Amino acid sequence: FPPLGDRGLDGAGMDTDFVLAGGPGYTDEANSETFLVVQIETPLAVENADSIAAVEGIDVLLVGAGDLGLRIRKATGPVLSIDESIERIAAATAAHGKTLGAISIDRDGMKKRYDQGTRFLVAASEFMALKNNLEGNMKLFKDVCGE
């Protein structure tokens, strides 16, 4: 919200329980409680990680390893590996007092990313939750119905 940004105020969102009950101090409180996560998903973004981390108001640089990995594999010129990219982003976040973020859904990957400095660790997704739930339902169906 102004003066930090240009977000509109409709008073009908989940953040206000669909009723603007926060009064005149709501926008100041919301600004102080909001954090901004930007995703780093291209070799160019990795190359510019220090400049991105220097932007005031950005709190977390989140490595989108799937998209970044795809772009690294498809690159025609020299690029850093995923691990080298994360190291560069980690250095940028440390230099600017920001938080490194990464996505990992297994124990070894989580440990590796944590050891690299990740403190905003995404360990689940709605897709995995849905997949796991559907697999559980199918197992239950087969156990109960024998099919």
Side-chain angles (χ1 to χ4, degrees):
F1 297 107
L4 299 179
D6 197 27
R7 179 178 172 187
L9 178 67
D10 67 7
M14 285 181 14
D15 59 333
T16 61
D17 291 328
F18 301 100
V19 177
L20 188 57
Y26 171 75
T27 58
D28 293 334
E29 182 180 341
N31 280 344
S32 72
E33 294 293 322
T34 299
F35 68 99
L36 180 61
V37 178
V38 297
Q39 286 192 242
I40 306 296
E41 298 182 321
T42 67
L44 182 60
V46 173
E47 185 179 317
N48 290 293
D50 190 69
S51 297
I52 295 168
V55 174
E56 188 173 333
I58 291 176
D59 299 296
V60 178
L61 274 69
L62 176 67
V63 180
D67 289 331
L68 179 58
L70 171 65
R71 289 174 175 94
I72 287 171
R73 287 190 305 277
K74 298 296 183 179
T76 56
V79 293
L80 300 175
S81 70
I82 287 286
D83 286 332
E84 292 167 331
S85 296
I86 290 173
E87 294 298 331
R88 179 174 286 187
I89 298 163
T93 58
H96 295 282
K98 305 299 171 85
T99 300
L100 175 63
I103 301 165
S104 184
I105 57 171
D106 64 33
R107 184 179 186 83
D108 292 339
M110 291 172 72
K111 176 74 169 122
K112 180 177 184 176
R113 298 300 176 226
Y114 185 84
D115 289 346
Q116 288 175 310
T118 300
R119 294 301 179 266
F120 185 89
L121 187 58
V122 179
S125 73
E126 67 274 22
F127 301 111
M128 290 303 293
L130 180 59
K131 176 185 174 286
N132 292 340
N133 187 276
L134 291 171
E135 286 174 347
N137 286 343
M138 286 303 299
K139 182 181 181 319
L140 176 63
F141 179 82
K142 288 177 182 178
D143 289 348
V144 171
C145 301
E147 293 188 30

